[in-house]
Amino acid sequence: MKLAENIKKHCFNHLNLSIFGAQIAIYAMFVAIWAMVTILLEHDTNIAIDSIRVNATVLFLLLVEFMVNFYLLVPKLYLHHDKLKKGFFWGINLIIVLLWNCYIISHHKEYSLGTSLGLEFYQSGVIWLLLNYAMIVAAILMHYYINRSRHLRYIREQKQRTTEAELAWLRNQLNPHFLFNTLNNISSLTQIAPQRAQNAIGDLSEILRYALYETEVEEVLLADEVKFIQNYIKLMALRCNPNVEIKTLFDIRNSQRRIAPLLFLTPIENAFRCGISTERPSFIHISLTDSEGKIVFLCDNSNYLKKQNDQDGVSVELENMHHRLELVYQNRYRIEQKTDKEWNHLKIVIEQ
């Protein structure tokens, strides 16, 4: 809570400084424009100087009216829910406006409303009063605008932090599951093929180095991700029998293309979990291509999912993958998924 208050205070002070500079600049600009127009149109130098002085004073009084409200009265009195303070706010402003217009109040008897001079004088007085209250309203609206902007900015920052935390959590969900499956495969090989198991440990070391140390960033090179997927498929294929047909296709044309790390690990894991049978012919077809600014991932595999627990696990993992895609590639991806009793199909298209 204290951190949020400090952020709000910092943002507000920064806006105050910007607004103060803008106020001075606008005042100087109006005075300069009026001076230029007066000098060009008025041939009498004394009248021109007097006109500039009067209008500079009028604009300065309006500037003071705005500043007093913006920096003092609005934040201290008007923005509070206390009706008494709001009453004080309008009362103090009424006094300020009357003081600014004391000349009109003290000399109103010298003019007759029936004369054109008196009518013009009081018309100018009404305009002056309206300008004063316009400054008060402008100060209030400016505070509402700043508070709203500050609130929206704070929401965006909180949303960004939440998104980053969710992405980190989703990545962490992948790594332990991947390690568990891979170690199980190597464990089964140690008894039937020790040399292959030893080679697999080397492959696992390379895979873990990538998964644990190079995937903590938002994006990695697509070429590095492809190398990881190839090594992973090679490792997973160790436990497959000759009845399993594994086909892969990787066509990466842009060596600098980047992608969120470990994004396709879940469907590949599920393909090996659900697409292999020890008794019947099985197939796993995986492709990852890059063309025309799109990354296309395809995974087709036979379906031999037997246990309800496995089915629930696959559903949760795919849901996590969908959620991660939504967080990282919102409105820039599409998923095509089909499943029947013998076949699973998944297509993910990501537009860069």
Side-chain angles (χ1 to χ4, degrees):
M1 182 63 69
K2 187 175 181 181
L3 177 61
E5 291 177 356
N6 289 336
I7 293 174
K8 292 179 181 179
K9 184 177 180 181
H10 173 75
C11 295
F12 186 67
N13 290 338
H14 179 73
L15 285 171
N16 274 349
L17 184 62
S18 301
I19 292 172
F20 180 80
Q23 292 164 358
I24 300 300
I26 292 172
Y27 170 75
M29 181 185 68
F30 275 116
V31 172
I33 292 173
W34 183 263
M36 186 180 300
V37 172
T38 304
I39 291 172
L40 291 175
L41 298 180
E42 184 59 59
H43 300 289
D44 192 324
T45 304
N46 293 329
I47 295 177
I49 293 175
D50 188 58
S51 177
I52 294 170
R53 178 184 58 79
V54 170
N55 283 280
T57 302
V58 169
L59 291 173
F60 178 75
L61 292 176
L62 291 175
L63 177 64
V64 170
E65 180 78 37
F66 179 86
M67 286 186 169
V68 168
N69 277 276
F70 181 80
Y71 293 104
L72 183 62
L73 298 182
V74 174
K76 297 295 182 181
L77 297 176
Y78 186 83
L79 294 181
H80 291 271
H81 296 292
D82 191 341
K83 293 183 179 180
L84 183 60
K85 288 186 177 182
K86 286 191 175 182
F88 277 123
F89 169 81
W90 289 113
I92 293 172
N93 270 296
L94 177 61
I95 294 173
I96 293 174
V97 171
L98 291 177
L99 290 175
W100 273 187
N101 295 275
C102 61
Y103 181 81
I104 295 176
I105 297 173
S106 59
H107 295 84
H108 72 281
K109 293 183 180 180
E110 297 181 11
Y111 300 95
S112 171
L113 291 176
T115 65
S116 60
L117 178 61
L119 181 59
E120 181 182 350
F121 185 80
Y122 282 108
Q123 285 176 339
S124 299
V126 170
I127 294 173
W128 172 243
L129 287 171
L130 292 175
L131 287 174
N132 274 267
Y133 277 100
M135 292 300 101
I136 299 171
V137 173
I140 294 172
L141 294 178
M142 185 62 72
H143 262 282
Y144 278 123
Y145 171 77
I146 291 173
N147 289 338
R148 177 172 174 78
S149 299
R150 180 184 63 191
H151 180 67
L152 292 176
R153 181 176 179 179
Y154 178 73
I155 290 176
R156 286 195 299 269
E157 291 174 352
Q158 290 296 106
K159 185 177 180 179
Q160 180 66 25
R161 292 191 185 97
T162 302
T163 300
E164 291 173 357
E166 285 188 74
L167 287 173
W169 181 83
L170 289 171
R171 283 199 296 265
N172 289 334
Q173 294 300 303
L174 298 175
N175 293 339
H177 189 242
F178 153 74
L179 179 60
F180 176 77
N181 284 344
T182 306
L183 287 176
N184 277 343
N185 294 339
I186 294 177
S187 176
S188 63
L189 281 175
T190 56
Q191 298 179 359
I192 60 175
Q195 185 59 45
R196 293 177 64 191
Q198 185 175 354
N199 295 335
I201 290 174
D203 293 336
L204 175 62
S205 176
E206 181 65 22
I207 290 173
L208 289 179
R209 181 192 61 78
Y210 176 82
L212 297 177
Y213 297 110
E214 297 185 19
T215 60
E216 294 301 319
V217 294
E218 292 183 2
E219 291 185 329
V220 296
L221 287 175
L222 182 58
D224 292 340
E225 188 72 6
V226 166
K227 185 178 179 181
F228 165 80
I229 292 174
Q230 289 174 323
N231 289 334
Y232 179 80
I233 293 174
K234 177 183 176 183
L235 201 58
M236 295 296 288
L238 293 174
R239 67 171 181 149
C240 298
N241 57 56
N243 290 329
V244 180
E245 178 188 70
I246 299 177
K247 291 184 178 181
T248 60
L249 172 64
F250 299 99
D251 183 13
I252 307 302
R253 301 180 182 180
N254 185 352
S255 60
Q256 300 303 312
R257 183 79 70 195
R258 305 185 73 85
I259 193 171
L262 306 178
L263 193 61
F264 306 120
L265 182 57
T266 293
I268 295 174
E269 282 185 335
N270 290 335
F272 279 95
R273 184 194 304 179
C274 311
I276 297 176
S277 172
T278 58
E279 301 174 355
R280 300 171 59 187
S282 311
F283 69 91
I284 298 176
H285 299 165
I286 296 171
S287 69
L288 182 59
T289 59
D290 164 36
S291 64
E292 300 180 354
K294 297 179 181 179
I295 296 174
V296 181
F297 173 81
L298 284 171
C299 183
D300 293 318
N301 60 272
S302 48
N303 187 6
Y304 294 109
L305 192 62
K306 300 179 180 65
K307 299 179 182 179
Q308 182 64 36
N309 290 339
D310 290 341
Q311 186 174 354
D312 293 340
V314 169
S315 298
V316 170
E317 290 168 2
L318 289 176
E319 184 179 346
N320 286 341
M321 184 192 68
H322 285 212
H323 186 43
R324 189 177 177 206
L325 281 167
E326 183 64 24
L327 289 174
V328 180
Y329 298 107
Q330 186 177 20
N331 300 324
R332 292 193 291 132
Y333 78 96
R334 66 178 187 272
I335 295 180
E336 177 185 302
Q337 189 171 359
K338 298 178 182 178
T339 302
D340 58 28
K341 294 181 179 180
E342 298 182 352
W343 174 65
N344 289 325
H345 168 78
L346 177 67
K347 180 180 180 180
I348 301 174
V349 179
I350 298 175
E351 297 182 2
Q352 298 290 295

